[in-house]
């Protein structure tokens, strides 16, 4: 039925499907139905091609869900390999090391580190749809440098935890800032909450409203100025993030299977 607001319109006064496609080559099977109320059901005769999208010209497989072998194939490939690495917009000079980084709100951030001297600078760049990044923009610097610190982003905030401060000693400080919708950070807060020990080289992650910090080289190892594998810790500590973004007290939880320092910690899918 043609209506002023739709090119194609189907209505039902009862509970019968609004739309039905049936395969009658064998036992009659509803391949596609759209129920009264909008729920859609798709059924495939082959589990190997539970959902298949092909190129109309070449017949090449563009997307396939194989529920028999639990495989999803995209463009004919189901191997999770990386494509060739490409360079993109370089950091502003001078170069830096021992810095932190995070991704939030479609922007990539580089924080603190060492540019020849301890730095508290922060820059960010927009990540484009093709994977390249735009130009780097400076935003409000962190309250203090944090070489080899843990950088954690979550719930619209960024947390700079531990690391080596401007006087080259390990720190248990935690600073956090609110990331604005335009990518800038206008205000940083220094919290009274501390790590369980001063450390460098700890790694951090955010998950389900909690901050996690794992491993690192603690100050008890002799005030290290760089991550020291010989004195690395297995400690894992976590803290709940309060409604205002501030972290609660850190508490020790299970240990890492092996001592780590200067590594990365990733939270994904629980």
């Amino acid at each position: 039925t043609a209506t002023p607001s739709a090119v194609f319109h189907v209505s039902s006064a009862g509970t019968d499907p609004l739309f039905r496609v049936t395969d009658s080559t064998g036992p009659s099977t509803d391949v596609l139905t759209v129920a009264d109320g909008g729920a859609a059901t798709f059924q495939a005769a082959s589990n190997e091609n539970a959902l298949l999208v092909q190129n109309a010209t070449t017949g090449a497989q563009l997307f396939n869900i194989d529920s028999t072998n639990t495989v999803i194939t995209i463009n004919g490939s189901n191997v999770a390999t990386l494509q060739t690495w490409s360079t993109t917009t370089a950091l502003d000079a001078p170069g830096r090391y021992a810095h932190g980084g995070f991704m939030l709100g479609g922007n990539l951030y580089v924080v603190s580190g060492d540019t020849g001297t301890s730095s508290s600078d922060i820059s960010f760049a927009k990540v484009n749809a093709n994977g390249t990044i735009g130009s780097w923009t400076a935003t409000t610097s962190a309250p203090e440098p944090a070489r080899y610190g843990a950088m954690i982003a979550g719930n619209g905030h960024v947390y700079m935890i531990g690391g080596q401060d401007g006087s080259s000693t390990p720190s248990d400080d935690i600073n956090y800032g609110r990331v604005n919708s335009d990518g800038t950070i206008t205000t940083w807060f220094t919290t009274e909450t501390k790590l369980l020990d001063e450390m460098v080289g700890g790694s951090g992650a955010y998950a389900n409203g909690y901050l996690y910090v794992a491993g690192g080289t603690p100050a008890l190892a002799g005030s290290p100025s760089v991550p020291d594998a010989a004195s690395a810790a297995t400690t894992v500590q976590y803290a709940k993030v309060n409604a205002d973004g501030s972290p609660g007290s850190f508490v020790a939880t299970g240990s890492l299977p092996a001592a780590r320092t200067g590594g990365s910690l990733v939270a994904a899918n629980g």
Side-chain angles (χ1 to χ4, degrees):
T1 303
T3 69
S5 58
V7 176
F8 182 74
H9 177 80
V10 178
S11 61
S12 171
T15 59
D16 289 338
L18 300 177
F19 184 78
R20 173 183 287 158
V21 176
T22 301
D23 181 1
S24 300
T25 55
S28 181
T29 302
D30 288 343
V31 177
L32 174 64
T33 60
V34 180
D36 187 30
T41 301
F42 173 79
Q43 298 183 85
S46 169
N47 288 334
E48 286 79 8
N49 295 312
L51 177 62
L52 176 63
V53 180
Q54 293 178 295
N55 184 296
T57 302
T58 65
Q61 210 178 84
L62 301 179
F63 182 82
N64 181 35
I65 296 178
D66 177 351
S67 58
T68 296
N69 300 301
T70 320
V71 171
I72 295 177
T73 301
I74 300 175
N75 288 336
S77 174
N78 56 32
V79 180
T81 57
L82 290 173
Q83 297 183 9
T84 304
W85 287 92
S86 302
T87 57
T88 184
T89 309
L91 291 171
D92 293 335
R96 66 181 64 218
Y97 70 97
H99 53 282
F102 65 94
M103 178 81 178
L104 190 66
N107 293 303
L108 189 64
Y109 292 77
V110 172
V111 183
S112 191
D114 195 309
T115 59
T117 58
S118 295
S119 171
S120 59
D121 293 348
I122 301 176
S123 296
F124 70 97
K126 178 75 174 175
V127 178
N128 301 315
N130 63 357
T132 61
I133 60 174
S135 58
W136 290 95
T137 301
T139 187
T140 305
S141 296
E144 59 183 344
R147 291 181 291 188
Y148 303 109
M151 297 301 308
I152 305 175
N155 197 30
H157 290 81
V158 56
Y159 300 83
M160 190 169 72
I161 300 177
Q164 184 191 84
D165 63 21
S167 59
S168 298
T169 57
S171 171
D172 59 1
D173 290 346
I174 300 173
N175 298 294
Y176 70 100
R178 176 74 183 177
V179 179
N180 302 314
S181 59
D182 62 357
T184 59
I185 303 172
T186 51
T187 305
W188 281 90
F189 303 92
T190 299
T191 175
E192 295 299 320
T193 301
K194 302 290 184 181
L195 289 173
L196 299 181
D197 187 24
E198 298 93 345
M199 71 165 57
V200 297
S203 53
Y206 173 91
N208 301 323
Y210 290 86
L211 300 174
Y212 294 85
V213 178
T217 305
L220 295 176
S223 297
S225 59
V226 296
D228 180 6
S231 304
T234 60
T235 306
V236 179
Q237 48 190 300
Y238 72 105
K240 184 173 179 59
V241 176
N242 299 317
D244 64 355
S246 63
S249 298
F250 275 87
V251 178
T253 184
S255 299
L256 294 172
R260 302 275 181 177
T261 189
S264 297
L265 188 65
V266 178
N269 197 28

